[in-house]
């Protein structure tokens, strides 16, 4: 098991990970080798990152020329051209002792399932899809993931800033010279119902405690806070 330096939050025990191939333990994630099999094209190999907030991100390595990254498991399943898709929990697998084992039969979905359970118990089944914010200088659109309250706040503040620029991107340092995502990649926005969904009741939220903020004075947040106050 390869380990990176620094203090880390323990997501899984060594015993739970010891038989899984290609494990890397990062500061707030665990990364493993994964794949999805197409009967026509064979195995598409990739790297899966599991985060404590339930987020799952896949970087595809199906060919040396493939640059698809931060894919949801459903989007990776479709990208691999799996014939029977829409069942990524069983179609995306990891190597355990040399065997291909579906994610559904591993510990790797623990935090994803806990997040779903928490959302459902709070009466919210909406998964916030990825959104884009355009640079005021170059006009290029940059992707924002909305899986946690912190990520929702970063997108919220960027959207409210009329002079937001590429250099303000919160995830990593970028400049206006860097290419924006291809149009074919932008259609994958993290909807759990359909990878290329254009917006539905499962992934478009019109206001919840995750994406509205009581300390924000914008009209959207004020309306939500006022309307949700107990009588």
């Amino acid at each position: 098991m390869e380990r990176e330096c620094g203090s880390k939050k323990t997501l899984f025990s060594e015993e739970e990970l010891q038989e899984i191939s290609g494990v890397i333990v990062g500061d707030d994630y665990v990364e493993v080798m994964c794949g999805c099999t197409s009967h026509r094209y064979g195995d598409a190999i990739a790297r899966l990152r599991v985060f404590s907030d339930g987020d799952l991100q896949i970087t595809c390595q199906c060919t040396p020329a493939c640059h698809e990254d931060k894919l949801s498991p459903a989007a990776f399943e479709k990208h691999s051209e799996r014939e029977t898709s829409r069942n990524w929990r069983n179609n995306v697998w990891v190597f355990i002792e040399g065997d291909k084992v579906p994610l559904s039969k591993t510990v790797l979905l623990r935090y994803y399932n806990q997040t779903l359970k928490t959302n459902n118990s709070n009466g919210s089944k909406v998964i916030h899809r990825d959104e884009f914010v355009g640079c005021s200088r170059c006009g290029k659109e940059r992707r924002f993931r909305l899986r946690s309250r912190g990520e929702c706040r970063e997108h919220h503040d960027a959207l409210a800033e009329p002079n937001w620029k590429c250099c303000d991107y919160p995830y990593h340092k970028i400049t206006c010279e860097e290419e924006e995502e291809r149009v074919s990649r932008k259609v994958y926005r993290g909807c759990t119902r359909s990878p290329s969904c254009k917006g539905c009741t499962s992934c478009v939220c019109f206001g919840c405690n995750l994406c509205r903020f009581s300390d924000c004075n914008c009209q959207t947040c004020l309306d939500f806070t006022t309307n949700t106050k107990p009588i």
Side-chain angles (χ1 to χ4, degrees):
M1 185 186 301
E2 182 180 346
R3 291 185 176 273
E4 298 178 350
C5 297
S7 60
K8 304 172 180 67
K9 177 181 179 179
T10 302
L11 302 184
F12 305 97
S13 68
E14 289 195 17
E15 290 74 18
E16 290 175 319
L17 299 174
Q18 63 182 353
E19 304 298 340
I20 301 178
S21 295
V23 174
I24 297 175
V25 179
D27 289 336
D28 62 344
Y29 66 86
V30 168
E31 181 177 307
V32 302
M33 180 185 296
C34 70
C36 188
T37 302
S38 163
H39 297 301
R40 181 177 180 182
Y41 297 104
D43 293 346
I45 302 300
R47 303 287 303 179
L48 165 68
R49 282 193 177 186
V50 179
F51 294 87
S52 60
D53 63 359
D55 194 15
L56 303 171
Q57 298 180 12
I58 294 180
T59 299
C60 187
Q61 299 176 344
C62 59
T63 67
C66 183
H67 301 294
E68 298 290 349
D69 66 349
K70 294 186 178 180
L71 295 172
S72 68
F76 172 63
E77 178 189 50
K78 185 173 182 178
H79 173 70
S80 68
E81 301 197 41
R82 168 80 186 192
E83 291 80 4
T84 54
S85 58
R86 292 199 175 187
N87 189 17
W88 61 264
R89 291 171 180 80
N90 290 324
N91 289 336
V92 178
W93 43 260
V94 297
F95 282 117
I96 298 182
E97 295 185 309
D99 295 326
K100 297 174 184 176
V101 178
L103 286 177
S104 61
K105 296 183 179 180
T106 72
V107 298
L108 297 173
L109 296 186
R110 175 186 299 161
Y111 298 97
Y112 176 84
N113 292 333
Q114 286 177 356
T115 300
L116 285 184
K117 184 177 180 180
T118 300
N119 289 340
N120 290 339
S121 65
N122 290 336
S124 173
K125 297 183 180 180
V126 174
I127 303 298
H128 296 74
R129 66 177 185 168
D130 298 349
E131 299 291 352
F132 292 86
V133 176
C135 174
S136 62
R137 179 177 296 166
C138 68
K140 295 176 181 176
E141 292 186 325
R142 305 303 184 184
R143 180 185 295 266
F144 280 73
R145 301 179 64 85
L146 279 65
R147 303 298 186 273
S148 67
R149 184 168 173 80
E151 289 177 338
C152 285
R153 185 60 188 256
E154 287 168 342
H155 169 258
H156 177 84
D157 291 348
L159 200 63
E161 173 53 63
N163 296 317
W164 188 89
K165 298 180 289 295
C166 290
C167 60
D168 299 321
Y169 194 58
Y171 304 124
H172 53 268
K173 187 176 181 179
I174 61 173
T175 66
C176 292
E177 283 68 39
E178 294 191 36
E179 295 294 327
E180 67 178 325
E181 289 188 25
R182 299 189 303 273
V183 174
S184 60
R185 172 72 180 89
K186 283 185 176 181
V187 300
Y188 299 115
R189 298 175 67 171
C191 178
T192 56
R193 185 186 63 83
S194 174
S196 57
C197 174
K198 295 181 180 180
C200 69
T201 55
S202 295
C203 66
V204 177
C205 179
F206 295 98
C208 69
N209 289 323
L210 197 69
C211 62
R212 299 290 183 262
F213 307 95
S214 59
D215 63 339
C216 176
N217 292 322
C218 78
Q219 194 60 50
T220 301
C221 287
L222 287 174
D223 289 345
F224 176 81
T225 303
T226 301
N227 292 332
T228 55
K229 282 183 178 179
I231 299 175

